[in-house]
């Protein structure tokens, strides 16, 4: 019997488990480990709560978790409770699927002022991530800014702009819903350091902004090249740019504004003990298409500033790490050690991108460690004995189902669930 450990229960972890199960059938046991007793990583804590159709992919992961050869082992932190070297003793291969949960830094003065939060923190706050339950983003001012021109920036700007009514059917956590509902925000500025042709926003996500109840997206037509210049763009990007251009036809008759400010590079954040404004330098594109400062600066008022400029993976002791992800070649980090998903590639692509990624690594593993032979490793049994000796009690998939049932039972009307935002509540739900 082969034993495999996948560290991280987000999309990359589950697709890899599915692939290993297909490759080995009943000749392997696959354990999906997570530091939390609740699975799904990015699906639970990253995907926007008002995008329930995207979250539905977890049903597919449920099937994987319920299959005979796969187990979920929660409440175990790799690098803290057990080392990667120890895992490699128990398992034929270890696959790191730990995602990219940390915000990249802007590296500008004032970034550490209160009022500046990373998108991982802000998204985690409204999605019930326990690390960010106490974030309390300042929502008492009239102006906020989101830095970045990707889909995460759009998620953050949209969540800031929706009404309570528009969150119906979502699983935004109650504390965030109440705080957002009481916000004084009138203007959310979305700052892009390059232009409309360089955005990383997809059409569906942009299109939503044209139909918000209380907010209207605003663009400056002067930021756009002549419409003929859109012709050579890749079709998805062209559609996004067309949608952006179309925002200029919308009546600005709603109480909130989402202002797209292009060619605007943040150079510092200022305020008296807390963020009050961003100083921005006007840019132009250089020969290589990068943002080049023009020397002209201006200020954008904002008492809440969200940086949405990409993520990095958490380093794990003794695993080579560089540029925000694990050092790997086609997913292979070293002998019997692999990475998949954002921990392998960096934070790009859709949820579905992780599927071929996981299958490719599973194929490599299957080629190197064929089914039908094994090295006599102890798998979960050995791991659990070690954890027990350290006083650590892992949770399993049945525990998760109990937590889920309680979250579903606690749902406010119109919402699928009310997530627990404190780890001790997870443990209480399973009688610990
Ligand atoms: P992203 O798509 O890589 O966008 C990052 C943005 O930050 C880019 O506009 C980038 O501008 C900007 N940026 C980077 N460094 C900056 C700096 N120092 N100053 C100012 N701007 C800076 O990353 P993301 O938005 O975090 O999304 C991550 C992945 O998740 C993407 O693949 C995204 O599509 C996906 N996602 C999908 C959905 C969905 O499908 N609904 C939702 C959320 C996320 P430059 O281009 O100039 O570098």
């Amino acid at each position: 019997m082969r034993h495999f450990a996948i560290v991280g229960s987000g999309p990359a972890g589950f697709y890899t488990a599915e692939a290993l199960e297909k490759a080995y059938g009943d000749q392997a046991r696959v354990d999906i480990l997570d530091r939390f007793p609740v699975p799904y990583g990015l699906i639970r804590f990253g995907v926007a709560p008002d995008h329930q159709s995207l979250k539905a992919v977890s049903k597919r992961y449920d099937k994987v978790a319920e299959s005979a050869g796969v187990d979920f082992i929660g409440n175990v932190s790799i690098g803290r409770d057990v080392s990667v070297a120890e895992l490699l003793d128990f398992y034929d291969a270890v696959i790191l699927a730990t995602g990219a949960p940390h915000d990249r830094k802007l590296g500008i003065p004032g970034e550490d002022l209160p009022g500046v939060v990373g998108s991982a923190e802000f998204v985690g706050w409204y999605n019930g991530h326990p690390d960010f339950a106490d974030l309390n983003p300042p929502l008492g001012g009239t102006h906020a800014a989101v830095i970045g021109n990707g889909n995460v920036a759009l998620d953050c700007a949209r969540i800031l702009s929706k009404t309570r009514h528009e969150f119906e059917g979502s699983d935004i956590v109650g504390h965030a819903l109440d705080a957002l509902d009481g916000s004084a925000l009138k203007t959310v500025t979305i700052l892009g350091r390059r232009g409309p042709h360089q955005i990383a926003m997809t059409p569906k996500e942009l299109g939503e902004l044209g139909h918000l109840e209380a907010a209207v997206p605003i663009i400056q037509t002067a930021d756009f090249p002549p419409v003929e210049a859109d012709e050579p763009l890749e079709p998805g990007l062209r559609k996004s740019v067309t949608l952006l251009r179309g925002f200029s036809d919308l009546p600005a008759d709603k109480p909130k504004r989402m202002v797209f400010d292009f060619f605007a590079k943040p150079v510092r954040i200022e305020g008296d003990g807390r963020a009050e404004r961003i100083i921005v330098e006007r840019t132009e594109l250089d020969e290589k298409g990068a943002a080049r400062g023009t020397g002209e600066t201006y200020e954008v008022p904002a008492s809440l500033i969200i940086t949405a400029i990409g993520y990095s993976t958490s380093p794990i002791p003794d695993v080579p790490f560089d540029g925000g992800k694990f050092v790997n070649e086609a997913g292979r980090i070293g002998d019997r050690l692999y990475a998949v998903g954002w921990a392998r590639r960096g934070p790009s692509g859709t949820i579905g991108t992780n599927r071929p990624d996981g299958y490719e690594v599973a194929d490599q593993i299957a080629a190197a460690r064929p089914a039908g032979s094994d090295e006599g490793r102890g798998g979960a049994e050995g791991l659990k004995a070690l954890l027990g000796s350290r006083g650590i009690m892992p949770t399993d998939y049945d525990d998760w189902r109990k937590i889920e049932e309680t979250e579903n039972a606690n749902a406010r009307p119109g919402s699928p669930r009310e997530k627990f935002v404190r780890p001790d509540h997870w443990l209480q739900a399973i009688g610990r």
Side-chain angles (χ1 to χ4, degrees), residues 4 6 13 76 86 125 152 154 183 216 230 242 251 259-260:
F4 299 111
I6 296 172
V76 178
E86 286 167 332
W125 170 73
V152 172
L154 278 190
S183 115
V216 63
D230 295 356
T242 305
V259 179
F260 284 87

Side-chain angles (χ1 to χ4, degrees), residues 58-114:
S58 65
K59 298 269 172 284
R60 176 177 178 149
Y61 307 155
D62 283 336
K63 290 215 168 65
V64 176
E66 282 159 7
S67 58
V70 177
D71 279 323
F72 173 71
I73 303 180
N75 210 29
V76 178
S77 180
I78 308 312
R80 187 193 65 191
D81 301 334
V82 57
S83 70
V84 167
E86 286 167 332
L87 274 188
L88 284 165
D89 277 345
F90 299 128
Y91 290 94
D92 293 270
V94 172
I95 302 105
L96 304 178
T98 46
H102 300 297
D103 289 295
R104 278 196 196 131
K105 299 293 270 181
L106 273 170
I108 61 171
E111 188 173 11
D112 295 325
L113 281 172

Side-chain angles (χ1 to χ4, degrees), residues 290-323:
R292 172 170 60 204
T294 62
E296 179 198 341
T297 58
Y298 58 98
E299 61 177 66
V300 174
S303 49
L304 168 63
I305 298 167
I306 300 171
T307 60
I309 59 166
Y311 299 122
S312 62
T313 298
S314 299
I316 296 181
D318 302 325
V319 182
F321 184 82
D322 190 23

Side-chain angles (χ1 to χ4, degrees), residues 217-378:
I218 311 266
I219 54 124
Q220 301 295 326
T221 47
D223 286 336
F224 288 69
V227 74
E228 309 81 73
D230 295 356
E231 205 50 43
L233 296 178
E234 172 276 315
L237 178 57
R238 192 165 65 229
K239 202 166 173 193
S240 290
V241 174
T242 305
L243 282 160
L244 271 176
R245 287 184 189 275
F247 291 162
S248 66
D249 299 329
L250 296 174
D253 58 355
K254 295 179 183 169
K256 288 187 184 175
R257 297 160 6 116
M258 306 172 81
V259 179
F260 284 87
D261 194 353
F262 292 108
F263 300 108
K265 184 174 82 166
V267 290
R268 71 182 175 275
I269 295 169
E270 293 180 346
D272 190 5
R274 51 168 311 103
E276 291 172 15
R277 69 195 83 86
I278 310 177
I279 308 302
V280 165
E281 182 177 16
R282 185 58 73 211
T283 65
E284 57 191 15
L285 295 181
D286 68 13
E287 320 57 54
K288 290 183 177 153
R292 172 170 60 204
T294 62
E296 179 198 341
T297 58
Y298 58 98
E299 61 177 66
V300 174
S303 49
L304 168 63
I305 298 167
I306 300 171
T307 60
I309 59 166
Y311 299 122
S312 62
T313 298
S314 299
I316 296 181
D318 302 325
V319 182
F321 184 82
D322 190 23
K325 55 184 170 32
F326 297 116
V327 179
N328 72 89
E329 254 178 62
R332 186 178 175 279
I333 299 174
D335 186 32
R336 301 189 292 115
L337 183 60
Y338 299 83
V340 291
W342 283 5
R344 167 189 175 182
R345 294 179 279 114
S348 66
T350 62
I351 293 163
T353 313
N354 294 300
R355 189 172 183 275
D357 187 305
Y359 273 72
E360 192 188 321
V361 168
D363 282 349
Q364 276 190 60
I365 294 172
R369 311 216 108 64
S373 61
D374 70 45
E375 286 140 60
R377 296 183 191 274

Side-chain angles (χ1 to χ4, degrees), residues 62 121 131 134 146 194 220-222 258 271 359 381 432:
D62 283 336
E121 299 171 305
D131 290 354
D134 299 317
V146 182
R194 300 192 289 158
Q220 301 295 326
T221 47
M258 306 172 81
Y359 273 72
E381 209 176 302
R432 294 254 179 107

